[in-house]
Amino acid sequence: MTRISRLFERLKQEGRPGLIAYLTAGDPAPHRTASLIAALERGGADLIELGVPFSDPVADGPRYPTRLGCASLKAGTTVSGVLKIAEEIRKQSEIPLLLFNLHEPVDTAMAWTSWPRMPPPAA
């Protein structure tokens, strides 16, 4: 059973909703993310959605504000850097983490040749 499934089971048993907090990894600086997560946890967050910054989230259109990742990107945050941040968080906390990401940064930065590909749309 994963941390996330254990969390939802516990919330169900307690009869309460969970608080999911979102934070862009590396914003305002990569070295501050773990302490910000700790503060969110102390403030009552049950799960952290850790955003992976990306400069061109065109797939989501105008709903995804591009400025969310700007400070993080300017600070040098990368996909592998976000995974390192997650490792640091895990050393200090057992809070469930969920990475929020788009396909492009993982495919490009991690060069996952086995990443599932969608067939082109039928004409």
Side-chain angles (χ1 to χ4, degrees), residues 75-96:
T77 307
T78 62
V79 174
S80 6
V82 172
L83 297 175
K84 289 177 184 170
I85 289 169
E87 286 178 354
E88 283 302 309
I89 294 165
R90 187 55 62 230
K91 290 176 186 175
Q92 302 168 20
S93 172
E94 288 297 313
I95 193 164

Side-chain angles (χ1 to χ4, degrees), residues 2-14 16 18 20 47 96:
T2 67
R3 286 178 183 91
I4 294 172
S5 57
R6 284 193 305 266
L7 167 65
F8 282 105
E9 184 60 34
R10 182 172 51 86
L11 292 172
K12 183 179 176 182
Q13 289 174 357
E14 293 174 4
R16 70 174 183 90
I20 300 173
L47 183 147

Side-chain angles (χ1 to χ4, degrees), residues 7 10 16 18-28 32-51 85 89 92-98:
L7 167 65
R10 182 172 51 86
R16 70 174 183 90
L19 176 61
I20 300 173
Y22 176 86
L23 183 71
T24 301
D27 187 1
R32 299 219 21 228
T33 302
S35 63
L36 292 171
I37 298 293
L40 288 168
E41 188 174 11
R42 285 190 308 273
D46 295 298
L47 183 147
I48 302 295
E49 186 176 6
L50 192 59
I85 289 169
I89 294 165
Q92 302 168 20
S93 172
E94 288 297 313
I95 193 164
L97 297 174
L98 179 68

Side-chain angles (χ1 to χ4, degrees), residues 98-109:
L98 179 68
L99 291 183
F100 174 84
N101 193 27
L102 300 170
H103 174 271
E104 295 93 339
V106 171
D107 192 41
T108 303

